[in-house]
Amino acid sequence: MAEIETEGFEFFGVEETVFRKMVIERIEALMVHEGLSKNSLAKKADIGRSALYEKMDREAKSHFTILDFFRIAKALDVSLLQLFPMTQLERLHGGQLPLSASTLKFLDLMLAAPKEDIEFLSNFYASLKKRDSVDEDK
C-alpha cells in the first residue's frame, strides 16, 4: 500500500464546516466530469435522493458517513482519497481538484497497473525530463 506523506494531521486548523465544503466541491467537480446530476449520483450510489441533497448542501448540518463516501467514490469510479483535499495546496484553494477529474481517474488507473508497467512509465517519464533539461541547457 502506498504511503501518504503527511506531517501529522493534514487538516490541523481547518474547521469541520470548511472541510465539508471542500469535500462537496470535489464531489461536484467529479460529478461534472462524469456528467451526473445529484439525482443520478444518488441513484448510482444507492443513497436516498433527499439525503444526498441534504449532505451536498454547503450550509446544512447533515454529514457524510464513511459508507456515503464509499458509495459515492464507487459510483464516480474514483479512489476514496480523491474525495478529500490531501495536500496543503488543495486546502489552500478550498478543496478544488489539483488536476482535472479525468487526469485523476487516469492516475488511479495507472496506480492499479502491474508494477512492471508503472516502472516502465516512471523510466519513460524520467527520460522525458532528462531530455527537457538537455533542451533547456542549449
Side-chain angles (χ1 to χ4, degrees):
M1 181 174 187
E3 291 291 322
I4 299 173
E5 290 188 30
T6 64
E7 295 180 15
F9 181 60
E10 300 90 345
F11 303 103
F12 187 79
V14 176
E15 294 180 24
E16 290 177 16
T17 54
V18 172
F19 171 78
R20 191 170 163 281
K21 288 176 184 178
M22 287 187 218
V23 171
I24 292 168
E25 171 78 29
R26 295 172 77 85
I27 292 171
E28 287 176 342
L30 292 164
M31 287 170 51
V32 168
H33 173 70
E34 292 295 318
L36 295 175
S37 65
K38 287 179 187 173
N39 190 39
S40 56
L41 177 62
K43 286 179 186 174
K44 200 170 178 182
D46 195 26
I47 298 172
R49 188 181 66 168
S50 60
L52 182 66
Y53 273 78
E54 181 72 18
K55 292 169 193 225
M56 294 290 290
D57 181 350
R58 287 174 171 77
E59 305 306 320
K61 301 288 185 208
S62 184
H63 296 283
F64 292 99
T65 67
I66 192 67
L67 288 177
D68 292 332
F69 288 137
F70 174 85
R71 291 173 177 168
I72 290 168
K74 186 176 179 182
L76 294 170
D77 192 26
V78 297
S79 165
L80 272 169
L81 293 179
Q82 288 183 19
L83 301 181
F84 307 110
M86 295 302 294
T87 67
Q88 183 59 34
L89 183 62
E90 292 171 279
R91 290 186 291 277
L92 181 68
H93 290 97
Q96 293 178 351
L97 295 170
L99 303 167
S100 68
S102 59
T103 302
L104 288 173
K105 198 168 186 177
F106 173 74
L107 290 174
D108 258 2
L109 181 66
M110 290 297 97
L111 289 174
K115 180 181 177 183
E116 298 79 24
D117 291 354
I118 294 171
E119 288 174 357
F120 171 79
L121 290 171
S122 176
N123 292 335
F124 179 71
Y125 182 73
S127 67
L128 288 177
K129 296 299 280 180
K130 186 184 284 185
R131 181 203 66 192
D132 291 345
S133 68
V134 169
D135 288 345
E136 288 175 5
D137 292 341
K138 289 182 179 180

